[in-house]
Amino acid sequence: MISSSREAARTLVLEKDCELSPRLMELRMKIHDEEYLNNAIQRIAQVISRKLVEDPEELQFRD
């Protein structure tokens, strides 16, 4: 019973997704990919680290 409810919900979501752009569909799939998310987090951390080393004042809070 639970699995049929999940399948129905999934079907409904997939039907709604057909109205979305291909790019948005691609991004939705990526956010469910653990490897993709881990790589994205790593890239964000690298960018922030590089900014801190190059110009730490740029990332300071302003009043």
Side-chain angles (χ1 to χ4, degrees):
M1 187 167 133
I2 293 174
S3 63
S4 64
S5 297
R6 287 181 185 165
E7 190 61 35
R10 182 182 174 128
T11 301
L12 179 61
V13 169
L14 290 175
E15 287 173 0
K16 288 180 88 177
D17 286 347
C18 293
E19 301 168 8
L20 301 174
S21 72
R23 177 67 177 144
L24 190 53
M25 292 292 298
E26 176 187 354
L27 292 172
R28 278 189 167 192
M29 288 176 55
K30 286 181 176 181
I31 64 170
H32 295 290
D33 180 352
E34 188 173 344
E35 183 178 354
Y36 174 82
L37 288 178
N38 288 336
N39 289 334
I41 292 167
Q42 182 65 34
R43 286 191 306 267
I44 291 167
Q46 288 172 339
V47 169
I48 292 172
S49 296
R50 191 176 323 116
K51 290 279 187 183
L52 284 171
V53 170
E54 291 173 359
D55 191 6
E57 292 179 12
E58 181 180 336
L59 296 176
Q60 286 183 349
F61 288 111
R62 294 186 175 90
D63 293 331

